[in-house]
Amino acid sequence: MRIAISTGGGDAPGLNAVIRAAVLSAVNRGWEVLGVKRGYAGLLGEDEVVFLTKESVRGIAHLGGTILRTTNRGSPFKYPVKQPDGSFVEVDRSDELMENARQLGIDAMISIGGDGSLAIAKQLCDKGMKIVSVPKTIDNDVAGTITTFGFDTAVNTAIEAIDKLHTTAESHDRVIVMEVMGRDAGFIALHAGVAGTADVILVPEIPYDVAKVCEKIQARDRAGRHFSIVVVAEGAFPRGGESSTLGPSMPGQARRVGGVAEVIAAEIQQRTGKETRSLVLGHLQRGGMPTGYDRLLATRFGGAAIRAIAEEKWGEMVALQSPHIVTVRIEDVLAEEKRVEPSHDVVLTARAMGISFGD
Ligand code: F6P
């Protein structure tokens, strides 16, 4: 048996722990493992495919990033190919990928990635590749699993930042608006905001009205709390408006969401007269060591992926449905959009404690 592993999309803390668990579990069964470098680039002749042994995965469980490297602009179905005039066209290179996988004797693939990678995995499955997926993203926006690995680490990084921002906000009587990642989902903002005791939390699932945000800040002022912390998800948008977009994306890459903190900070300062600063936490949320929770979850996913291959569960994704790891069909996962539920207990408790959602 020869399997291959690929990591796709944005990096997330815990990727290496998945790779380690999968490689050790596979090698201990007597299987061979190949690592496809940089998403699927290794299978398109654009990068390497290497053997992964017990040696290759020694001492990596606690490391962020991925030893296989990754990309969020390498779909084999829409591969960006540079033209002589410098422009890019998207080319379907999936047949080439299938042929290269066949020539390398790959019997099955583990694809570790978020929604984009799951969609690619589904398409490759439809072409006959035997794939099992592992859900990865700091955004936690993959359906079918209670959580993805990487999310807990990102939330903890955001909480630490909020704790530190309290110092300056309180000392200077300022408002600080901190933007966190999450694309169109508000899980990082919600969890970090509640655990970090933010005063206002803005998420894409609850469009905001900046006047309501200012009301909360002014009410705190009147109560003698002259500072406020606003945590905003990068995909949050005003009622009747749209989420902000950051500069141009690279060819083959999705729209880059973000920049909302600066917009909101300017509006707050203008409306309340309070000195307001903004901060984008950015890729700090994706870096560093995975938390113990993420390391264990990633390890469980890696081991479960090998069991799923042994059971020939093609087209399935390993998932956490506490207390167990199960498998769910990738097409079912893709059919469902996982977002913050405004009636979820975390939102209700936050509201009951006086946290404003700007609505
Ligand atoms: O999906 C993970 C994520 O970190 C999102 O939260 C964010 O919008 C996006 O990736 C950023 O991607 P990039 O690394 O391309 O800037």
Side-chain angles (χ1 to χ4, degrees), residues 147-227:
T147 190
T148 49
F149 69 85
F151 175 62
D152 186 63
T153 308
V155 168
N156 276 286
T157 298
I159 292 171
E160 193 185 337
I162 298 169
D163 288 347
K164 289 185 173 169
L165 292 173
H166 267 96
T167 312
T168 304
E170 192 155 9
S171 304
H172 286 259
D173 293 348
R174 285 180 182 169
V175 178
I176 298 188
V177 183
M178 185 178 95
E179 178 175 316
V180 295
M181 282 185 165
R183 279 203 79 82
D184 302 316
F187 293 106
I188 299 177
L190 177 65
H191 287 224
V194 172
T197 72
D199 306 297
V200 179
I201 299 172
L202 305 177
V203 294
E205 295 85 349
I206 306 174
Y208 65 84
D209 174 352
V210 81
K212 299 281 184 191
V213 175
C214 294
E215 265 173 32
K216 170 69 187 176
I217 292 166
Q218 287 167 325
R220 279 176 56 78
D221 237 8
R222 287 195 296 277
R225 305 293 281 157
H226 300 299
F227 72 96

Side-chain angles (χ1 to χ4, degrees), residues 10-11 72 136-139 181-183 188 234 253 256-257 283 286:
D11 63 326
N72 57 10
K136 163 246 57 164
T137 168
I138 64 162
D139 304 341
M181 282 185 165
R183 279 203 79 82
I188 299 177
E234 62 183 6
Q253 201 167 42
R256 294 177 61 214
V257 180
H283 293 87
R286 298 223 307 247

